[in-house]
Amino acid sequence: MVTLVLPRLVSFEGAGRRSASVAERNVAALKSAYWVVLISGFFEPLLYLLSIGVGVGGLVGDLTLPSGQVVEYAAFVAPAMLASAAMSGALSETTFNFFGKMKFMKLYDGVLATPVRPFEIALGELAWAMVRGSLYSAAFLVVMYALDLTTGLRALAAFPAAVLVGFAFGALGMALSTFMRGWQDFDIVGSAQFALFLFSGTFVPAESYPSVLRWVIELTPLYRAVDLLRGISTGSLGASGWLDLVYLLAVIAIGLAIASRRMAKLLCK
């Protein structure tokens, strides 16, 4: 029994160590200018929250959630901005940056000359993307708590969910990047990201849309992320939270599988 289990445990330990080395390489390559990009990415959803959530919210008043709970408009918008911040941080690292390192810098060609495998590269890059997404999420939750848009306990509960959201979009972005042929293709990614931002129950409930459009919206990953984080931060999490969780976990598994297979095909040919 020991001889059957031990090699597998050693293999998992080695894979984790090699993935961590890929993430550590990104930390070592940090430059001072990167922090400007990092900080600027946080302010975009914050400005949306202040201008629309707080500003327009003064005109809209309160909203009634599907659970029957009544919340102020800013508290309705804030979880969506949190999900958007997690999405943007993860996608920034796993689309443009990841594609540049793979396609033009040829960084991973050299990495594959070591014992690191394509799946471990994907996992390591995704772990690094989660550092950025987690920073955005933590800072945004502090702002939500400071503006009295959620409680401290709910903010703590929402943080791992926000990390999961970033993980899902990071895996999705990495998988999409392996199909990109050039920088122009990322215009499509940007347009899709903006469409998700506008039509994922971000500023109005999904129930406000026509039934056909509503079902399309509810199938999108950002809507599932918004629904999960809104339920946690407002205390209205229901049975749909389990659907959101399973959906995001499935996106992570599928995204990682596609990214690692595509990388193996592109880099090992």
Side-chain angles (χ1 to χ4, degrees), residues 35 75 254:
W35 295 105
I254 295 172

Side-chain angles (χ1 to χ4, degrees), residues 37-51:
V37 177
L38 186 67
I39 294 173
S40 64
F42 162 74
F43 277 103
E44 181 179 349
L46 176 60
L47 293 176
Y48 272 110
L49 173 62
L50 295 177
S51 63

Side-chain angles (χ1 to χ4, degrees), residues 64-197:
T64 302
L65 300 178
S67 63
Q69 181 180 354
V70 178
V71 298
E72 58 180 299
Y73 186 69
F76 175 83
V77 172
M81 296 300 98
L82 173 61
S84 176
M87 174 185 71
S88 298
L91 285 180
S92 295
E93 288 293 339
T94 57
T95 52
F96 294 98
N97 294 347
F98 175 76
F99 180 78
K101 287 184 282 190
M102 179 179 65
K103 190 79 172 180
F104 294 97
M105 294 174 62
K106 303 295 183 181
L107 174 66
Y108 303 131
D109 291 12
V111 173
L112 286 176
T114 70
V116 179
R117 295 169 294 181
F119 175 77
E120 294 160 354
I121 294 176
L123 193 59
E125 289 292 347
L126 190 53
W128 166 242
M130 290 318 305
V131 173
R132 180 171 178 173
S134 297
L135 288 174
Y136 285 174
S137 299
F140 202 87
L141 283 167
V142 170
V143 172
M144 288 176 61
Y145 177 72
L147 295 176
D148 198 26
L149 300 178
T150 189
T151 65
L153 289 177
R154 290 172 183 171
L156 290 175
F159 178 70
V163 173
L164 178 67
V165 170
F167 208 100
F169 277 101
L172 180 61
M174 191 176 297
L176 290 175
S177 295
T178 61
F179 291 95
M180 299 294 105
R181 298 160 298 178
W183 297 113
Q184 294 80 3
D185 291 342
F186 283 98
D187 290 340
I188 302 173
V189 176
S191 298
Q193 184 178 345
F194 190 63
L196 286 175
F197 175 72

